[in-house]
């Protein structure tokens, strides 16, 4: 099976982050790598992400925008195939 690194930049997604995490668990169970990049969230999103033990979490201190978050996430991938999704 070919595995993917799934990159998802996140910024202030407190209202939907739990649903997102639930929907990603199946991909982790299939062997894919899940990398969420918290782009400086200030609404409590970071604390919820820290509790998800099946993701790689990259935390940016300040919001720099989606492009910068993706560039930072790319530094942490381990698979040759990469998918990029929005957090919402």
């Amino acid at each position: 099976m070919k595995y993917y690194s799934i990159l998802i930049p996140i910024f202030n997604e407190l209202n939907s982050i739990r649903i997102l995490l639930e929907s990603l668990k199946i991909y982790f169970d299939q062997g894919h790598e899940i990398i969420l990049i918290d782009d400086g969230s200030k609404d409590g999103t970071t604390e919820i992400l820290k509790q998800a033990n099946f993701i790689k979490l990259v935390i940016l201190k300040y919001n720099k925008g989606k492009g910068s978050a993706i560039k930072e996430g790319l530094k942490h991938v381990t698979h040759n195939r990469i998918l990029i999704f929005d957090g919402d």
Side-chain angles (χ1 to χ4, degrees):
M1 180 174 201
K2 298 178 181 177
Y3 297 108
Y4 290 85
S5 292
I6 301 171
L7 293 179
I8 305 173
I10 299 292
F11 177 69
N12 288 343
E13 299 289 345
L14 183 62
N15 293 332
S16 60
I17 197 63
R18 285 184 174 91
I19 295 168
L20 175 65
L21 289 171
E22 288 174 20
S23 67
L24 291 171
K25 184 73 167 84
I26 190 170
Y27 298 104
F28 173 79
D29 292 342
Q30 293 173 354
H32 303 292
E33 175 181 51
I34 312 295
I35 302 173
L36 273 71
I37 306 98
D38 185 335
D39 191 17
S41 293
K42 302 293 182 203
D43 67 346
T45 298
T46 309
E47 288 70 30
I48 293 171
L49 291 173
K50 286 180 180 179
Q51 296 172 15
N53 61 359
F54 66 96
I55 66 168
K56 284 187 181 179
L57 178 59
V58 178
I59 300 173
L60 303 180
K61 195 171 187 176
Y62 303 104
N63 181 274
K64 297 180 181 180
K66 182 178 178 178
S68 291
I70 290 169
K71 286 179 186 178
E72 190 62 35
L74 287 170
K75 296 176 184 177
H76 300 273
V77 301
T78 59
H79 300 299
N80 292 340
R81 293 169 177 81
I82 300 168
L83 296 173
I84 299 172
F85 288 105
D86 283 335
D88 55 0

